[in-house]
Amino acid sequence: MKRAKILLVDDEVVFTNNVSRLLKTRGYRVTVVNSGDSAIKILEEENFDVVVLDLKMPGMDGITTLKELKKLGLFTETLILTGHGAIDTALEAIKLGAYDYLTKPCEIDGLVDKIEGAWEKKDEDEKEDIQKKISKAIESPRSVYSESRRKREKV
Amino acid sequence: MEEPAQKNDNPDEKSLEAQRKSQYSRLFRRFILLTIVCSLVPLLLVGWGIYMNYTRFANSRMINSFQTQVAHHRSIIELFLEERSSKLQLIANTHSLDHLVKVSNLNYIFEMINQEYQSITDLGIIDERGNHLAYIGPYDLMDKNYSQALWFKEVMAKGIYISDMFMGFRKEPHFIIAVTSPGKKKWILRATIDTEAFRSLVENVRIGKTGEVYLVNQQGIFQTSPRFHGKIMTKAPFPVEPIHEGIKVRILKGITDDRNQNLPRQVVSQTWLKEPRWMLVVKQDFSEAFTDVNHANYATLIFLHLSALTILIVSILITRYMITIIKKRDIETDELNNQLMQAGKLAAIGELSAGVAHEINNPLAIVLTERQILLDMMDQKTYHDLDFKKQILDSMSQINVQIQRCKRITQNLLRFARRTKPIIETVNLNAFIEEVTELMEREARTSGIKFFLDLDENLPPLLSDPSQLQQVFLNMITNSIDAHEGKPYGSIQICTRSDEQNGGIQVELTDTGSGIAPENLSKIFDPFFTIKPVGKGTGLGLSICYSIIKRLGGNITVKSEVSIGTKFTLFFPYKPPPDLLENIPSNDEDIEAYFHINSKRRD
């Protein structure tokens, strides 16, 4: 069974290592970064299904990272993991488009549940998008063509 | 450590109370003194002004009246003497000596003069050598020679003379009027004035009880008998003033005379007659003359005293009232200060707890992941030593339990510090309380505790944050249940009432638990204060409740009796404070309905 590809963003190195190990044991493909900047960098190059994001980090904090990530327009769901407990910040993150939030310390099973949920949503969104594109192509094939050309030019 | 601190608290409070008391009494005295000085000084000034003015006015009126009286009496006396003098002058001018020396003629004139009323006692004609030429009268004076008499010399010199009172040949006080004839050969017409008639003119004048009128000559000899002190022809006990024009009014000081008689203060008015030079004196005791003035002054004095007394009473009453207000204000200020201190404490603790919670949560998360890694590893391996495996699993689960415990604590801390914006919704408090009690009923039942709900059916809905309210009631009820530890059974009564006066709902939560000791009562809302056993309570529950209730614009008070129970009174306003009203989600139909209902209620 295919497991989700996960990007883990947290400044606590021991924590990210441990969680990465636990998730890998459970069959996920996990990449770890320890700052918001590196997260954005790696996301520009690579696709991930779910990003697990800490809110309080030195440098670029979680909320900013989330905003930057959203700008990239990727099919990725974000899961907020915070030790801060500032629920209002987590809620803000959800308003910005994060899938859900978890507070530290959390059980690995809880994290896995949320990751599964996020992954499922990401898949659904992707499918929906493809369907939209197909129906659009049927209605006016030209626009799809021009859009794909625009994208190609951009790249 | 704590006990001595508590013991120190009470004396401090007592001394503070004593200090306040002395402060109030000092304030009381100062106020009284100030009001009395401020009101009595003007009163005394006004009183003194009235007294002075009135006395001056009354004095001048009295003196005027005395002057009028004296002038009146003087004119009567002068008229009397003038009339007689001019009659004699007329006779001397119109009759010849030859005619007058005839006794029948003289007698005729004598009778004519006395026709209307007894006016003169006798009438005589005397030649220039002082011998009687003719005489009509009751005495035998024909052989008397007056050439050496004072009056004779005076009349010969002046032409008319009115004598002082003298004894003369008759040995009784009398006085005469003598006139000389015109022409070269001088003779004298002499009449003795009816002394009785003249004296009655003066002596019969009555002025009040103490007034007297008399005449004194230039030598200070009484010419009439005074009503009280002295007799005619005796020396007056006081020196006679030099001759002056007009009327003088004096006030004589009270003296003791040589016969050891007390002479009171007197008003004396005097004037000199033109002829003879007698002094007319009108006297009256000062006290009698000024009775009206004195009465008026007494009345003023009584009025002043009464006013002063009234001012005193009023100022005492006002001051008392003011002190009561000040005391009340002080108590309110104290309460406010306490609340402020409590709020300050909570805010400080809030800041601290947020930091602490965050710092603890991260290592906890790591511990939890480490534990999970160990568990994962154990799953992959097979252990022959089952005891060892069991021990490891036990320890792991214990680690989890303790982590969860820590998490609960940090979550509480964070909730306490939480600056989350409350979400305001309409809340039906009765239904809400029913839900919460239902939730707690199982736990309560195991402790043998029953809930009694006494809910006001007409309770209007309120605008508040349901999740925070839930936390408050869960906390409060959990505390109440915990308070029954050691008691086999008990009850918790929750009562709701609308409090229209304060615009909100009052909730009373009464339990039959073990109560709170008086020394702890002031600390129960302090963060981390708990009397529960270690591990059972964080000491944050009530302070979280306190801060939530305050944030929602409400209030919480407590009354407790050890081993009988505790009663918490909570108050929630119908509408939260203005800053929370912003947190109402737009297009909330319920809230629109709420405002609609409430505006109707107000109508």
Side-chain angles (χ1 to χ4, degrees):
Chain A
M1 189 185 160
K2 191 197 166 200
R3 283 290 188 176
K5 192 176 170 195
I6 293 165
L7 178 66
L8 202 56
V9 192
D10 198 318
D11 59 322
E12 283 272 357
V13 181
V14 186
F15 180 72
T16 44
N17 289 344
N18 285 354
V19 174
S20 147
R21 186 172 169 179
L22 287 170
L23 289 177
K24 276 177 183 161
T25 325
R26 281 156 183 77
Y28 292 99
R29 291 170 287 158
V30 184
T31 309
V32 168
V33 286
N34 293 110
S35 74
D37 297 306
S38 9
I40 295 299
K41 245 179 233 165
I42 202 164
L43 275 165
E44 279 169 348
E45 291 160 9
E46 225 176 299
N47 273 333
F48 289 94
D49 297 316
V50 179
V51 179
V52 179
L53 184 63
D54 184 25
L55 278 183
K56 209 183 170 201
M57 287 183 294
M60 194 190 277
D61 68 8
I63 291 288
T64 322
T65 313
L66 180 65
K67 282 177 186 165
E68 290 295 317
L69 187 153
K70 284 287 159 190
K71 275 184 200 164
L72 294 176
L74 305 166
F75 282 106
T76 303
E77 285 301 329
T78 317
L79 201 55
I80 301 293
L81 185 60
T82 174
H84 195 232
I87 308 299
D88 32 353
T89 326
L91 290 174
E92 196 189 334
I94 287 173
K95 273 186 200 156
L96 285 172
Y99 169 73
D100 205 346
Y101 74 91
L102 270 167
T103 51
K104 284 184 196 171
C106 63
E107 297 273 356
I108 192 68
D109 298 342
L111 181 61
V112 167
D113 281 352
K114 297 261 170 171
I115 285 173
E116 287 297 320
W119 187 30
E120 216 167 275
K121 183 160 184 289
K122 182 241 163 189
D123 271 357
E124 267 170 24
D125 283 356
E126 220 165 6
K127 272 179 202 160
E128 209 173 289
D129 188 66
I130 289 167
Q131 247 160 20
K132 250 189 214 164
K133 275 179 186 165
I134 290 169
S135 54
K136 220 176 184 181
I138 292 166
E139 274 168 27
S140 56
R142 214 177 235 181
S143 68
V144 177
Y145 167 74
S146 60
E147 200 176 298
S148 66
R149 201 176 63 176
R150 252 202 321 276
K151 263 191 179 171
R152 229 181 2 253
E153 277 168 5
K154 217 177 174 184
V155 172
Chain B
M1 282 299 280
E2 239 173 64
E3 258 183 37
Q6 278 173 15
K7 272 177 192 166
N8 279 341
D9 264 5
N10 283 343
D12 266 7
E13 260 169 41
K14 268 180 193 166
S15 75
L16 195 74
E17 212 169 284
Q19 214 180 328
R20 276 266 168 89
K21 238 179 204 173
S22 77
Q23 214 176 337
Y24 289 139
S25 59
R26 208 161 47 226
L27 208 62
F28 186 79
R29 282 197 299 271
R30 214 173 282 172
F31 269 136
I32 293 262
L33 197 73
L34 210 67
T35 42
I36 284 176
V37 166
C38 283
S39 40
L40 280 195
V41 167
L43 183 76
L44 287 179
L45 278 176
V46 168
W48 182 72
I50 289 173
Y51 169 79
M52 289 307 284
N53 260 329
Y54 182 73
T55 307
R56 197 183 301 154
F57 165 72
N59 273 356
S60 76
R61 223 180 55 172
M62 276 312 296
I63 284 164
N64 274 344
S65 110
F66 258 86
Q67 279 176 334
T68 321
Q69 277 190 33
V70 169
H72 175 67
H73 289 306
R74 186 175 73 175
S75 69
I76 287 173
I77 294 163
E78 280 179 346
L79 209 65
F80 180 93
L81 294 172
E82 236 166 58
E83 191 213 342
R84 274 135 195 87
S85 307
S86 55
K87 263 183 191 167
L88 290 178
Q89 195 94 54
L90 185 70
I91 293 162
N93 287 348
T94 51
H95 294 75
S96 66
L97 182 66
D98 297 337
H99 179 79
L100 289 177
V101 289
K102 281 184 187 157
V103 174
S104 59
N105 289 344
L106 196 62
N107 193 36
Y108 178 71
I109 289 170
F110 178 75
E111 275 169 7
M112 286 309 287
I113 291 175
N114 279 343
Q115 194 179 26
E116 277 181 54
Y117 48 83
Q118 188 67 28
S119 182
I120 53 175
T121 337
D122 61 6
L123 195 62
I125 309 287
I126 294 149
D127 67 11
E128 53 192 346
R129 285 183 302 276
N131 294 321
H132 255 124
L133 298 176
Y135 173 79
I136 302 291
Y139 300 101
D140 183 16
L141 303 170
M142 277 305 285
D143 54 342
K144 300 287 187 243
N145 183 287
Y146 294 109
S147 60
Q148 294 309 310
L150 177 74
W151 67 265
F152 181 78
K153 288 173 187 167
E154 287 278 338
V155 79
M156 285 307 278
K158 291 179 183 167
I160 180 160
Y161 180 69
I162 303 172
S163 76
D164 286 352
M165 286 285 174
F166 65 103
M167 300 304 271
F169 298 117
R170 321 169 186 190
K171 306 296 176 209
E172 67 175 61
H174 66 288
F175 75 104
I176 55 122
I177 301 176
V179 294
T180 55
S181 66
K184 271 191 176 175
K185 198 173 178 245
K186 276 193 177 168
W187 50 270
I188 295 164
L189 181 63
R190 192 195 93 138
T192 306
I193 303 299
D194 185 331
T195 319
E196 287 300 314
F198 179 73
R199 282 176 64 181
S200 67
L201 206 64
V202 179
E203 290 173 10
N204 286 359
V205 176
R206 289 278 179 272
I207 300 175
K209 280 181 187 167
T210 58
E212 56 182 356
V213 181
Y214 56 84
L215 289 164
V216 187
N217 71 2
Q218 286 183 68
Q219 286 74 42
I221 308 293
F222 283 125
Q223 300 299 299
T224 57
S225 288
R227 193 168 156 199
F228 299 109
H229 310 289
K231 236 181 155 190
I232 190 163
M233 294 302 288
T234 56
K235 181 104 174 138
F238 43 82
V240 173
E241 291 207 350
I243 292 169
H244 57 77
E245 289 304 312
I247 301 161
K248 272 191 178 174
V249 180
R250 287 182 304 153
I251 290 165
L252 288 182
K253 280 179 189 169
I255 46 157
T256 308
D257 70 359
D258 37 350
R259 273 167 295 178
N260 241 355
Q261 267 184 308
N262 279 332
L263 292 178
R265 197 145 80 113
Q266 286 182 316
V267 186
V268 180
S269 99
Q270 40 198 215
T271 183
W272 287 95
L273 304 186
K274 276 185 195 135
E275 194 60 42
R277 279 304 192 181
W278 289 344
M279 189 171 72
L280 176 67
V281 180
V282 176
K283 260 188 183 176
Q284 196 178 7
D285 278 4
F286 185 88
S287 56
E288 190 185 23
F290 285 85
T291 317
D292 287 349
V293 183
N294 288 342
H295 273 186
N297 282 342
Y298 277 132
T300 313
L301 210 64
I302 288 169
F303 170 75
L304 274 180
H305 276 93
L306 281 179
S307 304
L309 196 72
T310 315
I311 286 171
L312 192 74
I313 291 169
V314 168
S315 56
I316 286 176
L317 288 179
I318 287 176
T319 310
R320 245 188 223 161
Y321 177 65
M322 273 168 59
I323 296 282
T324 323
I325 288 176
I326 290 172
K327 270 186 192 167
K328 217 169 139 189
R329 285 278 153 85
D330 281 352
I331 290 168
E332 280 171 9
T333 313
D334 283 354
E335 267 173 18
L336 268 178
N337 277 340
N338 279 340
Q339 282 179 10
L340 209 67
M341 250 167 62
Q342 192 74 16
K345 242 190 269 180
L346 290 179
I349 298 286
E351 291 283 328
L352 185 74
S353 0
V356 169
H358 179 237
E359 291 313 312
I360 288 173
N361 272 351
N362 272 328
L364 275 182
I366 294 167
V367 173
L368 200 64
T369 49
E370 295 285 359
R371 169 184 166 275
Q372 196 58 55
I373 288 167
L374 287 177
L375 282 176
D376 283 0
M377 281 171 71
M378 279 180 67
D379 274 351
Q380 287 162 10
K381 289 197 175 154
T382 44
Y383 286 90
H384 301 292
D385 190 346
L386 287 177
D387 277 351
F388 175 73
K389 190 180 178 185
K390 190 179 174 289
Q391 180 57 52
I392 293 278
L393 286 177
D394 279 354
S395 298
M396 287 299 166
S397 93
Q398 191 52 238
I399 287 171
N400 195 32
V401 166
Q402 295 309 320
I403 287 173
Q404 293 311 321
R405 185 175 154 196
C406 285
K407 191 180 175 180
R408 216 168 38 241
I409 292 170
T410 54
Q411 266 173 349
N412 267 339
L413 275 173
L414 283 168
R415 206 173 291 146
F416 176 72
R418 190 160 76 163
R419 275 180 230 97
T420 331
K421 285 183 178 173
I423 295 161
I424 301 296
E425 291 171 20
T426 44
V427 180
N428 181 347
L429 205 63
N430 283 345
F432 195 83
I433 289 170
E434 276 168 0
E435 271 173 36
V436 174
T437 44
E438 218 169 280
L439 208 71
M440 302 296 290
E441 216 143 34
R442 180 202 291 254
E443 197 185 335
R445 215 181 296 138
T446 54
S447 308
I449 295 159
K450 274 187 181 169
F451 284 110
F452 293 102
L453 300 184
D454 172 14
L455 306 175
D456 184 355
E457 282 175 14
N458 299 320
L459 211 60
L462 55 86
L463 279 183
S464 207
D465 180 355
S467 70
Q468 300 212 13
L469 282 181
Q470 189 183 36
Q471 202 182 339
V472 168
F473 283 108
L474 283 177
N475 258 329
M476 300 291 305
I477 293 170
T478 312
N479 264 345
S480 292
I481 293 171
D482 290 346
H484 285 86
E485 205 162 277
K487 288 195 172 187
Y489 52 86
S491 69
I492 296 169
Q493 191 190 34
I494 303 176
C495 157
T496 56
R497 292 283 176 270
S498 70
D499 181 357
E500 292 301 331
Q501 204 180 349
N502 294 313
I505 295 172
Q506 192 170 301
V507 183
E508 282 178 4
L509 206 134
T510 316
D511 68 54
T512 53
S514 48
I516 303 160
E519 66 266 22
N520 290 335
L521 214 52
S522 62
K523 298 180 202 155
I524 56 164
F525 297 120
D526 285 356
F528 303 114
F529 176 81
T530 182
I531 45 171
K532 289 178 188 172
V534 179
K536 188 91 203 265
T538 53
L540 283 172
L542 273 178
S543 54
I544 289 170
C545 289
Y546 182 88
S547 65
I548 288 176
I549 291 169
K550 285 281 163 186
R551 194 159 35 193
L552 294 175
N555 199 13
I556 177 167
T557 53
V558 60
K559 275 182 188 170
S560 183
E561 254 181 88
V562 174
S563 77
I564 289 178
T566 307
K567 176 171 162 182
F568 284 96
T569 308
L570 287 72
F571 171 79
F572 298 101
Y574 290 138
K575 273 198 321 186
D579 57 312
L580 294 188
L581 272 178
E582 292 163 10
N583 302 327
I584 298 173
S586 52
N587 67 40
D588 190 326
E589 283 170 18
D590 279 353
I591 296 204
E592 272 168 33
Y594 173 87
F595 277 116
H596 186 63
I597 291 165
N598 268 330
S599 66
K600 266 189 185 171
R601 278 167 63 87
R602 271 194 290 279
D603 293 343

